[in-house]
Amino acid sequence: MEKLDQIDLAILKTLQENGRISNADLADRIGLSPSSCSRRLDILEKSGVIQGYHARVSHRLLDYKMIVIVHISLSGQFAKTLAEFEAAVKRVPNILVCYLMSGEYDYILRVACKDLEDYERIHRDWLSALPHVVKINSSFALREIIDRPNLAAIG
C-alpha cells in the first residue's frame, strides 16, 4: 500500500468513530462519491490497514470485573520455546492480550476474570500449565483509567 493520504486518514478516523456507518454516509462525510469511497475502503481492507470490524463489549457487564496484568518468564528464548508458549497461550480463553517483551519478563498478559477465585482457577488450570514457564508475577488492576481501542492520532 502506498502512503495514506488525507482522504484515507479521514476514512479511518470516521470508521473508528462509527464502524457501522453505511458506505453512502461515509462517502458523504468524506466528500467522495459512494463508488470512490468503496474502492478506497476495499484497498484499505485488502492492504491490511483495516484489520477487521468488531463489537466492543463491556467485560464488566459480562461479569468479568477484574483485570490482571501477568508477567511471564520462560526457561529460555529459543524459537521452539517461544512458539510452543505462544501456541498454548492462544488457547487460554481469558487472556485478552499477550505481548512478547524485551526486558525483565518475556511476556505480559492482560487477563479478564470474574473475581479472585476465578483468577486462582485460571492461574492453576491455565497459566501454570503453559509450557516453559518458570515465573509468573500477577498484578491486579485497581481501576481502568484509559483503554483506547483506536489510534487517536489519525487525521
Side-chain angles (χ1 to χ4, degrees):
M1 164 124 209
E2 294 179 27
K3 188 174 186 245
L4 299 176
D5 63 17
Q6 290 303 315
I7 294 172
D8 293 327
L9 295 174
I11 289 171
L12 295 173
K13 184 175 183 186
T14 303
L15 286 173
Q16 285 187 148
E17 294 167 0
N18 180 4
R20 296 182 71 175
I21 191 170
S22 70
N23 183 63
D25 288 342
L26 178 61
D28 187 53
R29 276 185 73 176
I30 304 305
L32 294 174
S33 70
S35 61
S36 180
C37 184
S38 182
R39 277 193 301 276
R40 282 180 174 262
L41 194 54
D42 190 51
I43 291 168
L44 290 168
E45 290 170 352
K46 286 181 177 171
S47 69
V49 173
I50 296 176
Q51 296 181 339
Y53 299 88
H54 310 278
R56 186 166 165 88
V57 299
S58 167
H59 298 117
R60 181 168 288 289
L61 293 179
L62 294 174
D63 204 28
Y64 290 88
K65 295 182 173 91
M66 288 183 67
I67 296 294
V68 184
I69 306 302
V70 181
H71 298 80
I72 302 279
S73 294
L74 301 183
S75 58
Q77 288 208 347
F78 305 104
K80 184 176 189 270
T81 302
L82 299 177
E84 289 174 359
F85 175 83
E86 290 172 12
V89 83
K90 289 175 184 175
R91 293 189 294 269
V92 182
N94 293 76
I95 295 177
L96 303 174
V97 178
C98 175
Y99 294 108
L100 174 62
M101 303 299 293
S102 64
E104 182 178 354
Y105 294 97
D106 297 310
Y107 290 90
I108 294 181
L109 315 175
R110 186 166 42 130
V111 178
C113 49
K114 294 177 184 256
D115 53 31
L116 194 55
E117 289 175 3
D118 190 36
Y119 181 68
E120 180 183 6
R121 177 194 59 80
I122 295 164
H123 188 285
R124 179 187 63 241
D125 297 346
W126 290 98
L127 302 179
S128 296
L130 291 169
H132 311 291
V133 171
V134 294
K135 184 176 180 184
I136 300 173
N137 183 317
S138 306
S139 299
F140 297 88
L142 300 176
R143 180 168 44 107
E144 182 178 284
I145 308 304
I146 187 168
D147 182 9
R148 189 174 284 135
N150 299 309
L151 189 59
I154 289 181

